[in-house]
Amino acid sequence: MARPGRPGKGVVVLVMLVVAFLGISTTTGTGWPLVLVALLIGTVVAAFALPAVPMSRATLTVTTPADTVVGLPLTIDVTSTSSPMVRACAPVLDRGWFRLGTGQLVVVPQRRGVVETVRVELRCAFPLGLWPWRKRVWVMLDRPLHVAPAALSTELHLPPDTMHRGDELTRGVRPYEAGDGLRHVHWPATARAGSLQVREREDDERTYVDLVVDLGAPGALPEALVEHRASWAAGAGAALLATGRVLVVHTAEPGGTVSGAVRERRELGRRLARAVPGAVTVPSGHLGGLVVDVAAEAGQP
Amino acid sequence: MSEPLGVMQRVRLANVRGPAERSLLVRALVLTSSLVAAHAVLGQGVGGPALRIGVYVGIPAGHLFSHLTRERTGLLTKAAIAVAMLMAVTRFLQELTAIQGDASAVQVPLAELFLWTLLLHSWDVPTRRDLSFSLVASLVLVGVAGTLSVSLTFGATLLAWLLPAFAALLLMHRSELAEMPTPGGPGVRPPPPHRGRTVAAAVGVLVLILALAAAAFAVLPAAGGVRAFTFPMRIEANQPVPVPGGLVNPTLGSGGAPVDGDSLANGATTDRASFGYFGFATELDTGVRGRPDDTLVMRVRASAPDFWRGQSFDTFDGRRWTSTLTRALPQRGTMPLELPGFGSINTGDVERFVQTYYVVRPGPNIIFAAPSPAQLYFPDEPVYVLPDGAMRSGVLLDKGAIYTVVSNRPRHTAEKLTLISRPPADGLFGAQRDRYLQLPPSLPQRVKDLSAQLTDGIASTYDKVKAIENWLATNTQYSLDIPPLPVGADAVDHFLFDERIGFCEQIGSSLVVLLRAAGVPARLTVGYAAGTRNPLTGLYEVKASDAHAWAEVWIPTAGWVSFDPTADVPLAGDTASRRRAGEGSVRFLAGKLPSLPDGLVAGLQAAAAGLGAVTVAGGALWLLRRRRTAARRPWVERWMAAFERAGARRGRPRAPTESARAYADALGLTQDPEWRSVVDIVEREAFGGGVDPPERARADDALASLGRR
């Protein structure tokens, strides 16, 4: 709900002048200062009440891409039918003040996470700029925005043979499924079938790597270390994906441990965006093989 | 964590220079406001030629210089302005020390200092904040000019200042917003604001401000004079009167000789000015017909209306009034002059009543004052005081003369005066008493009989006066158009028994004569009635037609008290304690407008009343309809709407496609079994056969408790 904020310095000055003119009128008996007092009172009252009008009509819709990375500029679509005299600020997207309107805005998210709603602070001091009103609105995004951590370049100490690509045991071909890498497309089969076909590989425990992203217990670690681990995991995961391996990423999310295969960086970014500090329980019966423990490998920022 | 800022850091932060103001229109509007404000002050006689040239040339030049150098730091300019400002302040302090005794004289040097401030500041206004300071400075100057102004023409100046100042304020805010980014796109420029809509919005806002100002003005307390400590006095040219202490009235023509009613009735012409009143002379002929016109003769600043008393007459010959008290005593000394309280009784219950007189037309050398004057601020000496308390100046009072009188006005009330009975000795003795009981030898007996008939059996002097006033109000009529007085006729007898129609001289004379016949000392007094109060200037505008004659009656232990059945001047003690500033505004403004046909006025009033009634009724109907519409909505719709509001307050608005269950999940409510049941209830109501009232109540309670969390 819109409410008046603290009056600006102009209002303080006007109120002081009201007092001064009233004193002058009382001591000199002159009438015109009273007319000025009345005008100043009218101005202050109008400045107080009028911003409520555009504020009450302010509407805002924000549309974002599904994914982004911390520190990278992101273009969001803003749709508003409000008066351009209303200012807005979206702290969650690290956006300074801008005038409401329709178009695109560039924001630079500074924090990892999943953004489902955007808190927008509206301010308006229509028309005289003396007494701003403010309103906090929560704008629902039509789809969540996953802000992935910025990947740190990492040095993984892995057995040499896991760094080689190829030596895959192709068992056959199958239709393309979302998440399959482009490098697995079997083009001849695709040409014959008329639809994308990918190599179906023999399961090889060397192709799977478990990435355990332990961000510590809730509140146990400083935020800088938590984010460092997330960024390190992003870098390590990207490097591992580049070797053609399939990651099985283990993270803690608000509902508990989540373990799942990740075949591309976007998916990795989303998993890391959703990750929160908490206990990470690696399920038994996984394929085993190489395990990368982020907590042990990431070190200190 | 950042360290708290120190004092010097805060000062530096507060003085960080903002971005330069690029809008030429904003600068032009601020310049216009500044010039209008400066002109308003200069128009009140403030400042010499050098300051005038400096203002009219220097302020525009300064604004131009500031605009051209807006991107530079301007340290040298600031240093030069600081030095010049020091010189201006030094000069002001020197003038201040030269002022002796009269606090009101500080207004002019102070106004000059403000003008220098505005002039010097105009050379360093690169940013929007500096322009705002200029706007505030112009507002202060307008206030100063308003303090010095006594006429209605200041209203036009105020309007000429208000329009550009308001526009500048509006545009400065827009300019501030224009510096902010706006959503666009590559190569997309924000659409310019629609000029017509901008102007319409600005006009609408200005009208709203004026309406609010009018409402505020209606309830603000009126400008007071009781606590005033500045008492202006001024005289333009000191032209002494021929006879020191004598009465001179150049408006009567013929050297100021009294006007003779018989001559006028016989067709003689006179060179009397249209605003000249025949009562301001050494005698008053009740046979004179014709009244002064509506020429404005003076303005009076006072906190309440009263008679502005000129002089009195004590001897009546049946037609003419004269005064036996002709010896005027000169009064000299430093201002204020302490006046001898001739004829006043210190009852103890008095109020300090300050009146400042601004002479608009040259007139008699009478110093008008409310009854019981105690102090006088007059720009010339000596001042001559007569035994009846009347005062005369030793110089002619021309246009522009100003003087101030402080009266100790007794707080008489009708109740107090009624309670005063006539003691054996009423305070007037011997010749003094005889003077005010004098009756013409030729006074017809029927006048005395009428007096006895009206006052016999009444003990209180006040009640006697009221009895005679009531009879006069019932049995006579007030009119300015009356036939000439027959030759040899007694004016009072003719009025009371023959014509029964007359104006203030006849009515006042009749009251005095009837009271004297009843043994009550009384005298005829002439002066001005209060006039019309101008709510904007706070001054009473006294016209020549306000010249008046009334009776002063000696009431034991109270002194001389004015009575007049024809003018509405209440007793001091019965006056409302505090007036409203806007009191009488509508009447005053209506009087300034040209008269409209009665039918048109009535039609406009009816239309306004009708419009008001339609607006109120329409608003009430709309509210009623809205409530009914809301009440007609199904329960589940109302519940969902309230659920959405509660969720939005918790930071999670509902997506349009989100069901109640999904929304409750998103809010984390369905972990509570009670909420799972509530969601079931809502779904059954929406999609099933409905639910029972107790279940609805359960859902409402859950929602209410959610809202309280």
Side-chain angles (χ1 to χ4, degrees):
Chain A
M1 190 172 126
R3 59 189 67 189
R6 288 171 69 176
K9 288 176 196 168
V11 171
V12 176
V13 169
L14 291 183
V15 169
M16 286 166 59
L17 285 173
V18 163
V19 172
F21 286 146
L22 272 174
I24 288 171
S25 176
T26 304
T27 52
T28 62
T30 46
W32 283 113
L34 279 182
V35 176
L36 281 171
V37 166
L39 280 170
L40 292 178
I41 290 174
T43 303
V44 170
V45 171
F48 171 77
L50 284 174
V53 175
M55 284 293 268
S56 65
R57 296 177 190 166
T59 62
L60 186 63
T61 306
V62 176
T63 307
T64 66
D67 304 278
T68 187
V69 177
V70 167
L72 287 187
L74 170 73
T75 302
I76 64 175
D77 292 317
V78 176
T79 307
S80 171
T81 55
S82 307
S83 161
M85 299 205 76
V86 180
R87 296 172 279 176
C89 167
V92 71
L93 296 176
D94 291 304
R95 176 68 221 183
W97 289 99
F98 61 95
R99 275 190 297 156
L100 278 189
T102 295
Q104 292 180 331
L105 215 56
V106 175
V107 299
V108 181
Q110 297 294 331
R111 280 173 291 276
R112 175 187 65 90
V114 179
V115 181
E116 289 185 329
T117 57
V118 176
R119 193 195 85 198
V120 181
E121 183 105 11
L122 298 179
R123 274 198 199 169
C124 179
F126 168 84
L128 303 173
L130 293 175
W131 203 321
W133 279 54
R134 59 186 182 86
K135 181 178 174 182
R136 214 168 264 180
V137 296
W138 294 91
V139 179
M140 184 83 178
L141 297 179
D142 54 359
R143 58 185 169 186
L145 169 65
H146 292 85
V147 184
L152 285 177
S153 60
T154 55
E155 280 189 20
L156 288 172
H157 304 289
L158 299 173
D161 55 350
T162 59
M163 296 305 293
H164 291 295
R165 294 172 54 178
D167 292 343
E168 295 169 342
L169 304 174
T170 304
R171 191 170 67 183
V173 294
R174 58 169 172 80
Y176 173 84
E177 288 171 7
D180 289 337
L182 197 59
R183 54 187 292 276
H184 297 296
V185 172
H186 194 284
W187 295 107
T190 299
R192 281 196 295 275
S195 60
L196 277 175
Q197 305 290 315
V198 297
R199 293 185 192 83
E200 196 170 13
R201 293 158 298 180
E202 194 70 48
D203 282 345
D204 185 335
E205 67 176 37
R206 293 179 303 171
T207 69
Y208 285 87
V209 178
D210 288 290
L211 183 66
V212 181
V213 184
D214 182 0
L215 300 180
L221 299 179
E223 190 182 345
L225 180 56
V226 169
E227 297 306 315
H228 170 72
R229 286 187 184 181
S231 294
W232 192 93
L240 288 167
L241 285 172
T243 65
R245 300 298 178 239
V246 174
L247 286 181
V248 179
V249 179
H250 306 275
T251 56
E253 289 190 11
T257 303
V258 174
S259 298
V262 169
R263 297 176 193 273
E264 56 175 5
R265 286 186 71 168
R266 185 174 64 172
E267 207 175 327
L268 174 66
R270 290 187 178 185
R271 288 291 305 279
L272 292 175
R274 290 198 294 264
V276 296
V280 179
T281 310
V282 178
S284 59
H286 71 98
L287 296 177
L290 184 64
V291 177
V292 176
D293 186 354
V294 173
E297 301 281 349
Q300 295 291 321
Chain B
M1 190 169 68
S2 59
E3 291 180 1
L5 295 173
V7 171
M8 287 310 297
Q9 284 173 314
R10 285 177 193 267
V11 170
R12 268 192 222 111
L13 205 64
N15 284 290
V16 163
R17 195 189 130 122
E21 176 59 57
R22 288 184 179 78
S23 169
L24 270 177
L25 184 56
V26 168
R27 285 186 181 276
L29 289 168
V30 172
L31 171 62
T32 306
S33 322
S34 301
L35 281 175
V36 170
H39 177 74
V41 175
L42 292 172
Q44 301 302 325
V46 171
L51 182 56
R52 282 170 191 268
I53 293 171
V55 162
Y56 290 126
V57 175
I59 291 180
H63 274 264
L64 180 62
F65 175 80
S66 296
H67 178 66
L68 293 174
T69 60
R70 64 187 180 273
E71 304 290 351
R72 298 186 211 158
T73 316
L75 285 175
L76 276 178
T77 310
K78 289 183 196 305
I81 290 171
V83 169
M85 202 59 226
L86 272 173
M87 290 165 59
V89 170
T90 305
R91 183 161 176 260
F92 167 71
L93 292 173
Q94 284 172 348
E95 287 183 358
L96 209 58
T97 51
I99 293 168
Q100 292 176 357
D102 180 13
S104 67
V106 77
Q107 290 177 353
V108 171
L110 192 60
E112 289 180 358
L113 179 63
F114 284 143
L115 278 171
W116 278 112
T117 305
L118 186 68
L119 165 59
L120 293 170
H121 179 70
S122 66
W123 288 82
D124 186 30
V125 285
T127 67
R128 193 175 307 121
R129 191 173 70 173
D130 300 314
L131 289 168
S132 304
F133 288 156
S134 275
L135 214 52
V136 171
S138 70
L139 171 59
V140 172
L141 272 181
V142 166
V144 170
T147 306
L148 298 171
S149 171
V150 295
S151 73
L152 212 53
T153 54
F154 181 76
T157 308
L158 184 59
L159 197 62
W161 171 84
L162 179 66
L163 292 176
F166 168 76
L169 201 60
L170 205 75
L171 290 177
M172 276 199 274
H173 180 51
R174 283 182 178 253
S175 184
E176 180 190 352
L177 288 176
E179 289 169 0
M180 288 185 185
T182 182
V188 173
R189 296 179 64 185
H194 192 270
R195 189 163 291 178
R197 255 189 264 161
T198 305
V199 171
V203 169
V205 171
L206 186 61
V207 167
L208 174 66
I209 289 176
L210 291 174
L212 289 169
F217 189 70
V219 298
L220 282 171
V226 177
R227 286 189 292 277
F229 58 82
T230 58
F231 299 120
M233 53 180 183
R234 187 177 71 196
I235 200 156
E236 299 291 330
N238 289 24
Q239 186 181 348
V241 297
V243 177
L247 176 59
V248 173
N249 190 350
T251 64
L252 295 181
S254 301
V259 179
D260 180 52
D262 283 337
S263 304
L264 289 176
N266 290 333
T269 57
T270 172
D271 55 354
R272 182 181 78 175
S274 61
F275 52 89
Y277 177 54
F278 55 88
F280 299 143
T282 53
E283 68 175 45
L284 186 152
D285 186 350
T286 57
V288 171
R289 299 295 182 255
R291 298 282 300 168
D293 61 11
D294 286 335
T295 303
L296 182 69
V297 293
M298 65 180 180
R299 295 186 176 96
V300 182
R301 172 163 289 131
S303 57
D306 207 326
F307 292 108
W308 314 129
R309 188 179 182 277
Q311 60 180 8
S312 67
F313 300 99
D314 53 31
T315 305
F316 184 55
D317 67 359
R319 182 189 169 116
R320 291 180 175 77
W321 284 94
T322 54
S323 177
T324 57
L325 302 172
T326 56
R327 188 162 160 258
L329 298 175
Q331 302 288 315
R332 287 187 173 84
T334 54
M335 295 302 152
L337 280 178
E338 298 294 331
L339 300 170
F342 291 134
S344 298
I345 291 181
N346 185 359
T347 62
D349 186 15
V350 298
E351 65 172 3
R352 192 164 171 267
F353 184 56
V354 179
Q355 324 109 57
T356 301
Y357 297 81
Y358 299 84
V359 177
V360 178
R361 288 270 185 279
N365 64 329
I366 294 175
I367 298 174
F368 296 93
S372 307
Q375 292 177 326
L376 172 65
Y377 292 79
F378 198 78
D380 187 79
E381 57 175 4
V383 167
Y384 297 89
V385 183
L386 284 89
D388 68 345
M391 295 180 284
R392 293 173 185 163
S393 70
V395 295
L396 290 177
L397 294 176
D398 281 337
K399 179 184 175 181
I402 305 173
Y403 60 89
T404 301
V405 179
V406 180
S407 300
N408 287 333
R409 222 165 53 143
R411 288 203 188 98
H412 295 312
T413 63
E415 192 184 5
K416 280 184 198 171
L417 293 175
T418 305
L419 292 174
I420 298 170
S421 299
R422 182 181 172 184
D426 57 14
L428 277 181
F429 303 97
Q432 200 179 28
R433 183 179 171 77
D434 293 340
R435 179 180 295 121
Y436 297 114
L437 290 175
Q438 177 269 338
L439 289 168
S442 57
L443 184 71
Q445 184 59 38
R446 58 182 180 175
V447 176
K448 298 174 187 173
D449 292 341
L450 177 61
S451 173
Q453 174 194 332
L454 295 176
T455 60
D456 271 352
I458 298 176
S460 155
T461 304
Y462 179 79
D463 288 336
K464 289 182 183 179
V465 175
K466 297 315 279 184
I468 296 174
E469 277 191 341
N470 290 340
W471 187 91
L472 287 170
T474 308
N475 296 279
T476 65
Q477 284 181 35
Y478 183 94
S479 174
L480 296 176
D481 184 20
I482 58 175
L485 182 66
V487 175
D490 182 281
V492 171
D493 178 80
H494 183 69
F495 170 71
L496 291 174
F497 296 101
D498 297 333
E499 287 292 341
R500 294 210 173 175
I501 186 169
F503 42 85
C504 54
E505 282 78 15
Q506 287 75 43
I507 297 171
S509 300
S510 298
L511 182 57
V512 171
V513 167
L514 286 171
L515 283 169
R516 287 181 174 185
V520 176
R523 61 190 181 193
L524 186 72
T525 306
V526 294
Y528 287 105
T532 308
R533 185 175 170 272
N534 184 327
L536 297 175
T537 62
L539 298 166
Y540 287 92
E541 295 186 343
V542 181
K543 297 176 186 165
S545 54
D546 290 319
H548 199 53
W550 64 92
E552 281 185 341
V553 181
W554 180 262
I555 295 186
T557 71
W560 290 106
V561 179
S562 300
F563 288 93
D564 176 50
T566 60
D568 184 18
V569 178
L571 291 168
D574 289 333
T575 309
S577 60
R578 198 78 178 146
R579 303 172 70 112
R580 296 288 149 214
E583 196 176 311
S585 300
V586 174
R587 198 168 50 244
F588 176 80
L589 290 172
K592 293 289 179 185
L593 294 171
S595 55
L596 298 170
D598 289 342
L600 182 60
V601 170
L604 286 172
Q605 286 174 338
L611 190 64
V614 165
T615 305
V616 168
L621 276 171
W622 178 78
L623 274 173
L624 197 62
R625 193 177 161 193
R626 197 174 154 184
R627 280 194 180 172
R628 280 187 182 163
T629 306
R632 276 203 299 266
R633 285 169 65 193
W635 172 82
V636 69
E637 276 190 38
R638 287 184 277 124
W639 192 94
M640 279 301 299
F643 187 34
E644 279 187 45
R645 286 195 296 271
R649 278 196 297 271
R650 293 161 76 86
R652 176 57 166 86
R654 187 179 80 93
T657 55
E658 228 169 0
S659 66
R661 186 174 293 277
Y663 191 38
D665 279 340
L667 289 173
L669 297 172
T670 47
Q671 292 175 9
D672 181 356
E674 175 62 17
W675 264 98
R676 288 201 289 273
S677 302
V678 166
V679 172
D680 283 340
I681 290 168
V682 172
E683 286 177 344
R684 277 190 286 121
E685 175 69 19
F687 309 113
V691 298
D692 298 328
E695 290 181 297
R696 286 189 189 179
R698 195 174 152 199
D700 287 336
D701 289 342
L703 188 57
S705 67
L706 178 68
R708 282 192 296 269
R709 284 190 217 168

